[in-house]
Amino acid sequence: MIVLEGVNKWYGDLHVLQDVNLTIKRGEVVVVIGPSGSGKSTLCRTINRLETIQQGSITLDGQPLPAEGKALARLRAEVGMCFQSFNLFAHKTILENVTLAPMKVLKMPKAKAEAQAQELLKRVGVAGQARKYPAQLSGGQQQRVAIARSLAMNPKAILFDEPTSALDPEMIKEVLAVMVDLAKQGMTMVVVTHEMGFARTAADRVVFMADGQIVEQNTPEEFFSNPQSERAKDFLGKIIKH
């Protein structure tokens, strides 16, 4: 579904992604973990061209990522993205937030878009909030709306860039429960997170990054019980101690 080959990216002199090779199969849940500044979020953002790369190639479903224009808009319709800051439109109701893209991009009739939105809001557990505005919802509810908004485009894959890092602990559980549910239903997902519990329970594969490189990748069971690299052992040691 998603293939990165020899991907390199620099911010000025800073080499943030170094020869990254990664293949994500259809229906696979890949969780990317690692210390801050390891390139995890940048990697996630290159997959739908929110960040451009200087070397290498990224393909989605066999097609290279388009550079700009309508083809890029189409790609972004096919790859959902959930950020840590929700990015909902503050001046639109929850229902309008979820129906906007299907109506504008997919040319879906309003009645159909609204029926689908209600169904999705129900699925993520915020059906009663459709007429409210984002500011009237908790952070956990807003993030669940953001997930519903991604699903409204019927994407081939969804990218999650630290979707719970701005949330209170009890809200984190709400959002992770929705993500675990998506994983069970076979959605292709790339998740950058600090939530090791989610990595253990929902991931098919854990990818560990440090200093712009993929240091190792394995099943959650193998990675957490038997890390292969010193860098991963050190990282897990620090996390488990706290």
Side-chain angles (χ1 to χ4, degrees), residues 113-166:
E114 288 191 348
Q116 173 186 266
Q118 292 285 13
E119 200 49 50
L120 289 170
L121 291 172
K122 192 161 126 194
R123 184 171 161 191
V124 299
V126 288
Q129 314 293 340
R131 304 287 165 200
K132 292 185 179 173
Y133 288 87
Q136 295 171 283
L137 272 58
S138 71
Q141 288 172 323
Q142 288 188 58
Q143 191 59 286
R144 285 184 283 160
V145 171
I147 294 171
R149 182 181 56 180
S150 284
L151 291 171
M153 296 298 286
N154 197 16
K156 293 178 176 176
I158 301 187
L159 312 173
F160 292 89
D161 185 11
E162 300 198 13
T164 58
S165 63

Side-chain angles (χ1 to χ4, degrees), residues 18 74 102 113 136 141 166 168 198 209 228:
Q18 304 180 24
R74 209 160 37 246
Q136 295 171 283
Q141 288 172 323
D168 295 336
F198 177 80
M209 287 186 76
Q228 300 298 300

